[in-house]
Amino acid sequence: MNRLFCPPAARYTIGVLDRALFSKTINLAAVSVADKKKIAQWRQSLQKEKTLLTAERVSCVVAHPDQTLASQGTRCLLLDPRVRPKAPDTWTPLLRDGIEKQELGIVPYDLALDYDYWSYEDVMRCLLPPEPRDNNDGIPVGFNQAGHVAHLNLREQFLPYKKLIAEVLIDKNPGVRTVINKVANVGTESEFRTFAYELLAGDEDLNVEVRENECVFQFDYAKVYWNSKLEGEHRRLVHLFKPGEVVCDVMAGIGPFAIPAGKRGVFVWANDYNPESYRFLDSNINRNKVTQYVRAFNEDGRTFVRKAADLVYAASISGEHAVAKEKRSSRHRQQKDSEKTEKTPIIEQRIPIPPTISHFVMNLPASAITFLPHYRGLYAGQEQLFEPYTSTKLPMVHVHCFAAKAEGEGPMLDVCDRITAEIGAPITLGDPEKPGEAAVLEVRAVAPNKRMFCASFRIPAEVAFASRE
């Protein structure tokens, strides 16, 4: 069965994908049902005794191979390859009984499969030579998708076949019409986390639209950083923020944390050093109608950390706020001369900006930890804003970073040691709600021996209230 539904052997020709080579005909048996109204009944019975054909992406109900009967609406049920139309010894008792009673008729059926039937993996296993496949854990299947753009990061052994891989990838992914391959590490040539790439297939149009966490983002993929594989991490952090709180997103990019948070009624001071990221961040704030909650900045994150704390405090003192509108349930009343519906009253609620930041997000894993010294003096001379003078806790920092893959808590302990060295206060692995402790979560694998982590901890009081230098 499995061998029957393997694609035909096809040989790779430099620069050419011959789709015709993937046509294949499988000789099967089929049964026609005399009473058209009973086809569902027979399908269920044959399926129960495992006589029907079961193959991925192939329906067992097909038109009769005789064109005249097919035009009259006669349909057939495809049978398991073990059943042969001219070999009664291969028929099951149920089949034989149905044929003898003339309720069924068994006929040969040629199932034609072509290039469109085979999956990307099927096609590439045929086209790629065994050596690169065997030495690289199979065929290249992973890619990062942003809108209609598929972004590959091919290993060296697959580079001779890159155009072929891209062409098949477009064929087999309806949402993809452009394929690019990274030719340098992110950040190698740009401090803005953009990367050099080559166009492998499709249009060189990298202006994309992405929908994530109930928001719409538009951007030029060549000019900003975006990684759809971080959607879960974006969602995880956003759901930690409470409506009415203030979040400072120090490396906001085009807004995957900031804008969904704004949708939830969270105030966000969103900053990115890349002018292009700032431009798209600002336009996406307007596109998603969160201008009341999200403000865009284009500054160096090192200086923005303390500046954001000052700006939030000033906004709170001056009485800045958002206005949330809520509709009451409509009421209907009938008047004597006509029936009218009262306008639904709208209640406006003022939501004040609080004086302090509740969370800092630092999603620049290659270097975010080195920004931590700039939290020193964040709230210098403002101890009265926090516990024990109020119920407000010091801000929680969520800093992303890379660490080597290792067993046990080794990578997490290493992350804590690096945070300690940069922030100038001891941070150990533990409960982030306890002073001096951090939770370190593995976010994703970025390479065979490299992992991305997020460390969350509250800024130590000796750091937050230190004098500013």
Side-chain angles (χ1 to χ4, degrees):
M1 175 72 167
N2 291 336
R3 294 179 66 85
L4 276 177
F5 283 84
C6 287
R11 176 173 286 179
Y12 167 64
T13 305
I14 298 295
V16 177
L17 172 61
D18 189 348
R19 295 170 179 81
L21 295 176
F22 287 87
S23 296
K24 181 176 183 177
T25 300
I26 301 175
N27 304 124
L28 298 171
V31 288
S32 58
V33 181
D35 185 349
K36 297 175 183 177
K37 295 179 181 180
K38 291 186 176 181
I39 192 163
Q41 178 183 328
W42 275 106
R43 178 180 180 175
Q44 186 177 16
S45 298
L46 294 171
Q47 195 169 34
K48 189 174 182 180
E49 71 160 14
K50 299 181 180 180
T51 308
L52 281 186
L53 174 72
T54 54
E56 291 183 2
R57 306 183 301 281
V58 176
S59 173
C60 65
V61 182
V62 295
H64 198 287
D66 183 292
Q67 294 300 313
T68 302
L69 292 174
S71 66
Q72 297 171 0
T74 304
R75 293 182 295 170
C76 290
L77 298 171
L78 296 181
L79 302 178
D80 187 276
R82 293 171 297 181
V83 179
R84 298 194 296 277
K86 296 182 179 180
D89 58 316
T90 64
W91 303 351
T92 63
L94 181 63
L95 267 179
R96 188 177 291 108
D97 184 60
I99 293 168
E100 289 175 355
K101 292 179 179 178
Q102 297 185 341
E103 294 183 27
L104 300 177
I106 190 162
V107 294
Y109 189 94
D110 293 334
L111 178 64
L113 303 176
D114 59 15
Y115 175 80
D116 291 339
Y117 169 76
W118 310 109
S119 69
Y120 168 82
E121 290 83 356
D122 291 334
V123 174
M124 295 314 303
R125 286 192 191 97
C126 291
L127 296 180
L128 291 179
E131 185 176 346
R133 285 192 283 119
D134 295 343
N135 294 340
N136 292 276
D137 301 322
I139 61 175
V141 293
F143 60 89
N144 187 27
Q145 186 170 349
H148 65 273
V149 177
H151 162 209
L152 297 171
N153 186 13
L154 293 174
R155 296 182 184 180
E156 184 178 355
Q157 293 89 336
F158 291 118
L159 293 180
Y161 317 101
K162 59 188 179 184
K163 297 281 188 179
L164 180 70
I165 291 169
E167 192 174 358
V168 177
L169 195 150
I170 286 181
D171 286 345
K172 300 303 178 180
N173 293 273
V176 173
R177 56 181 173 86
T178 300
V179 180
I180 60 175
N181 183 49
K182 185 170 70 173
V183 296
N185 289 331
V186 173
T188 299
E189 298 181 9
S190 170
E191 61 184 324
F192 299 140
R193 288 194 288 178
T194 56
F195 56 88
Y197 68 90
E198 59 178 335
L199 178 69
L200 298 184
D203 306 323
E204 192 165 11
D205 173 17
L206 270 63
N207 288 293
V208 303
E209 179 175 292
V210 175
R211 296 177 181 272
E212 181 181 286
N213 291 323
E214 300 180 8
C215 298
V216 179
F217 301 92
Q218 292 182 355
F219 53 93
D220 185 338
Y221 194 39
K223 296 179 179 179
V224 304
Y225 177 79
W226 177 268
N227 191 336
S228 295
K229 293 179 181 178
L230 293 175
E231 180 176 1
E233 178 65 358
H234 298 155
R235 185 185 305 111
R236 182 185 73 87
L237 281 187
V238 167
H239 281 78
L240 294 179
F241 312 148
K242 297 177 182 178
E245 289 184 333
V246 179
V247 171
C248 176
D249 193 348
V250 185
M251 301 94 172
I254 64 162
F257 290 108
I259 292 172
K263 285 265 192 181
R264 292 169 57 84
V266 177
F267 295 102
V268 186
W269 264 245
N271 173 72
D272 202 89
Y273 192 39
N274 179 353
E276 290 293 333
S277 292
Y278 165 75
R279 181 168 68 89
F280 287 109
L281 169 64
D282 192 52
S283 65
N284 286 321
I285 289 170
N286 284 278
R287 180 171 292 104
N288 290 278
K289 300 179 181 180
V290 291
T291 52
Q292 282 200 106
Y293 292 98
V294 186
R295 307 183 186 196
F297 299 85
N298 178 212
E299 301 188 20
D300 186 329
R302 296 172 182 84
T303 57
F304 185 71
V305 167
R306 292 193 299 208
K307 180 177 180 179
D310 295 342
L311 290 174
V312 169
Y313 182 73
S316 179
I317 294 301
S318 64
E320 293 186 37
H321 60 275
V323 177
K325 296 181 179 181
E326 182 180 344
K327 290 184 179 180
R328 281 182 177 173
S329 300
S330 61
R331 294 180 181 178
H332 301 274
R333 66 182 181 185
Q334 187 172 346
Q335 297 182 347
K336 292 181 180 179
D337 53 342
S338 63
E339 186 177 292
K340 295 182 179 180
T341 302
E342 288 186 342
K343 289 185 178 179
T344 303
I346 297 176
I347 302 173
E348 291 189 350
Q349 180 184 4
R350 291 163 60 100
I351 304 173
I353 296 176
T356 62
I357 296 171
S358 296
H359 298 266
F360 284 86
V361 178
M362 304 176 71
N363 182 27
L364 187 66
S367 60
I369 283 181
T370 66
F371 285 56
L372 292 177
H374 298 275
Y375 284 90
R376 192 164 191 82
L378 182 71
Y379 284 110
Q382 293 183 306
E383 289 88 344
Q384 76 281 0
L385 296 176
F386 300 95
E387 294 178 337
Y389 305 99
T390 70
S391 60
T392 303
K393 296 181 179 180
L394 282 163
M396 181 79 75
V397 175
H398 309 277
V399 56
H400 292 89
C401 59
F402 294 130
K405 177 185 177 181
E407 297 296 328
E409 295 183 344
M412 290 80 161
L413 295 173
D414 172 64
V415 169
C416 291
D417 289 343
R418 288 154 57 195
I419 292 172
T420 297
E422 294 290 345
I423 206 166
I427 299 292
T428 59
L429 191 62
D431 182 354
E433 291 296 342
K434 293 181 179 179
E437 295 187 9
V440 182
L441 175 71
E442 182 176 327
V443 176
R444 60 182 290 262
V446 295
N449 295 308
K450 186 178 182 181
R451 299 291 184 267
M452 177 180 173
F453 292 87
C454 180
S456 299
F457 62 94
R458 293 204 177 273
I459 301 172
E462 61 268 36
V463 174
F465 301 135
S467 61
R468 293 188 180 182
E469 297 176 358

